[in-house]
Amino acid sequence: MSEQEIKVPDLGGADEVEVIEILVSKGDSVEEEDPILTVESDKASVELPSPGAGKITKITVKVGDKVKEGDVVGMMEASGDAGGSDDDKGAGEEASSGKDEKAEDTSEDKAEDKAEEKKPAPKKSGGSRKETVKVPALDGFDNVPVIEINVSEGDEIEADDPLVTVESDKATMEIPSPYAGKIGKILVSEGDKISEGLDLVEMTVVEGGGEGAEESGEEDASSESAKSSGDDKPESKAESKGKSEEPKPEPSSATYEPPTPGAKVHAGPAVRKLAREFGADLARIKGSGPKNRILKDDVQAYVKSQLQQTQQGSTVAGGGGAGIPGVKLPDFSQFGEIERESMSRMMFATANNMQRSWLNVPHVTQFEDADITDMEDFRKSQKAAGEKKGVKMTPLPFLLKACATALAELPQFNVSLDMDRKEVVRKQYIHIGIAVDTPNGLMVPVIRDVDKKGLWELAAESAELAQKARDKQLKPAEMQGACFTITSLGGIGGTAFTPIVNTPEVAILGVSKAAMKPVWDGKGFQPRLMLPLSLSYDHRAVNGADAARFTSLLGQLLGDIRSLLL
């Protein structure tokens, strides 16, 4: 590789111009024409492009400096050179030598990349390599705080050993090491908020086969090549791009691009100015121009989509929603002594979700009493069997089975509404969430394929998930995918309540405390154990008659448990 100067090109007649933004840093890899910095004259803002592909080694100006044509603003190592070729000698002249030379250089780079691709990777011979471990996918969670560092510099660890522990809104999670080896530098601290793709730790990986064998083979090959040429610098990102780049999946939105830590944003000064005026984060906008360059239309479309989401009810706790003004609090200290404390992440998240559901879902609640006298007699008779199995049989497995049967017979309850696309999503699976009261707040683990499991299996799984919820050990996947939710206050008391639908589900069953009541059997009143049921539903998806059918069916199923055992 050769080092070349980055010079200010022809400024179209302007004399001295001011540097208003530095767009790269030392160590960044850039492509030809990528913006290096932005300057501003008295008439316009202009981005100064990179004269070629390579790695930035030095930036010699700062924001506020005045520069003119020919001034050196930085240095870079050019990539794609054949080591000391004549092209290196005239690096400063190449920027203005015309399109023919650029095209020739590009074709040579591509030929070299293809030749590199065809080279077979040599077999591994053991040893070690340096790796930077990044934060893996967090199953939908973002900006989660680090609550514990589980390793120290110099520690020897195995693959899957925990590196750090993070805490989401509803659970704590350990992030495991993908490799075995020795911990180098730890790149995060307790209290830092991290997201997928962020650098976590540096480590020396012990190469002895297993995961990453193919990758390490390629790295060994590049290392040997570097040693033989007398240059022990690693292969640059620009050189390896043609060999390792894979197509990325399209984002879920035409205007939104999930932000990638450290990624550069390609946008002109006018677009950047427009984004600043709107308060839009360019890192979150998907560019539609050449090389994913962000255009004015992209900024406007992104802002429009964000406004639409807000107007459709994407609210936060404490603020108004759907045109409803927020509640202004008085100064409570004027009435007496007070104490303030921060809301926990879980409490704040629950408040947000509850308010969002209440504002977006037209709630109706249907009430029913189910006769569970025979069910309770049967359940209590299973006490000895449960002690042998190490499982306690509670009323919950019966409720789960009854709800699964009702969801199968009345599939309009097993849907979600996609109002943007004007579609009904009909689910071909039956996963049911169970609300668990914990010291840290309400949590809802999900039991999958309830219709395919027996009572004892459901009893064991529900007990295990409830305990994990209380211990804050639930994984994100264990709290996702529910079609329907059961929330029970039966162990506390009450005769009825109106639970809030856990949108995008369309119904939730509330269970209150069972009580003995006189029930007329046609000849006289008989003492029967009655269980109050409260079914809240989304009236956009479910009509009142179907809700009455659902609760009536639940009453029949719980009143005759033989139907649940079939």
Side-chain angles (χ1 to χ4, degrees), residues 133-152:
V133 179
K134 297 182 180 294
V135 177
L138 297 174
D139 292 323
F141 292 112
D142 195 20
N143 288 326
V144 292
V146 177
I147 63 171
E148 184 179 1
I149 307 292
N150 299 319
V151 293
S152 302

Side-chain angles (χ1 to χ4, degrees), residues 303-324:
V303 172
K304 182 179 179 181
S305 69
Q306 295 300 303
L307 285 172
Q308 287 176 339
Q309 290 179 23
T310 301
Q311 292 167 0
Q312 290 169 359
S314 298
T315 62
V316 294
I324 302 173

Side-chain angles (χ1 to χ4, degrees), residues 212-224:
E214 294 182 4
E215 290 84 354
S216 60
E218 292 176 2
E219 290 176 10
D220 288 345
S222 64
S223 176
E224 288 297 322

Side-chain angles (χ1 to χ4, degrees), residues 280-294:
D281 182 359
L282 285 172
R284 294 177 174 271
I285 301 176
K286 181 185 177 185
S288 62
K291 296 184 179 180
N292 296 323
R293 194 174 186 83
I294 299 173

Side-chain angles (χ1 to χ4, degrees), residues 370-385:
D371 186 341
I372 61 167
T373 309
D374 297 337
M375 186 197 86
E376 275 295 278
D377 289 342
F378 174 78
R379 183 184 71 83
K380 291 177 180 178
S381 72
Q382 300 302 304
K383 183 177 180 180

Side-chain angles (χ1 to χ4, degrees), residues 287-344:
S288 62
K291 296 184 179 180
N292 296 323
R293 194 174 186 83
I294 299 173
L295 309 178
K296 282 187 176 181
D297 287 345
D298 300 326
V299 176
Q300 292 166 344
Y302 171 78
V303 172
K304 182 179 179 181
S305 69
Q306 295 300 303
L307 285 172
Q308 287 176 339
Q309 290 179 23
T310 301
Q311 292 167 0
Q312 290 169 359
S314 298
T315 62
V316 294
I324 302 173
V327 177
K328 186 175 181 179
L329 298 180
D331 178 7
F332 295 106
S333 63
Q334 65 181 313
F335 309 121
E337 186 177 348
I338 65 170
E339 181 180 337
R340 283 181 173 269
E341 62 181 37
S342 298
M343 297 172 70
S344 68

